[in-house]
Amino acid sequence: VGSHRWTTDDLCTAYVAAREAENISRNHPHGLRSYLDLGCGNASVLQMVTWALLRKQQPEQQQEQQSKLQEQQSEEQPNHAFLKHCIGIEARSEAVELARRSISFNV
């Protein structure tokens, strides 16, 4: 009571969020460039979703970069299909400190 407990809630929430983010990324012409975790607590869901998206995008990024280089050798255009920002917002100062600490250890 009064502190965060590790349960399957965070894991299930991260799974659903990552799945939905992947769907958005596939169906949006510019992909998923950023996402917001509102009320992120200690940032466990934020980190799990980020890891899932980055892991999913690595093979796709390599393939798309090769395709784009072949198609547009003379033009330099930024690749908007990949995650650039993960933002967590939390009101409780003790949770913010835990989130910062966790992110500094895990990123």
Side-chain angles (χ1 to χ4, degrees), residues 24 36 51 78 84-85 104-105:
I24 291 168
L36 170 69
W51 294 328
K84 297 183 189 227
H85 301 284
S104 72
F105 288 142

Side-chain angles (χ1 to χ4, degrees), residues 48-103:
M48 287 187 274
V49 172
T50 301
W51 294 328
L53 293 174
L54 291 175
R55 184 188 49 163
K56 236 0 187 172
Q57 290 176 346
Q58 286 173 352
E60 293 171 9
Q61 182 180 16
Q62 292 170 357
Q63 290 173 355
E64 284 191 31
Q65 284 177 347
Q66 289 174 355
S67 307
K68 285 192 178 222
L69 284 174
Q70 292 170 356
E71 292 172 8
Q72 303 168 348
Q73 290 179 356
S74 61
E75 286 185 45
E76 282 191 34
Q77 294 182 352
N79 187 348
H80 295 295
F82 304 108
L83 189 63
K84 297 183 189 227
H85 301 284
C86 306
I87 303 160
I89 296 178
E90 176 58 48
R92 297 174 303 123
S93 60
E94 65 276 2
V96 171
E97 289 308 314
L98 286 171
R100 286 181 178 150
R101 184 173 177 216
S102 183
I103 290 168

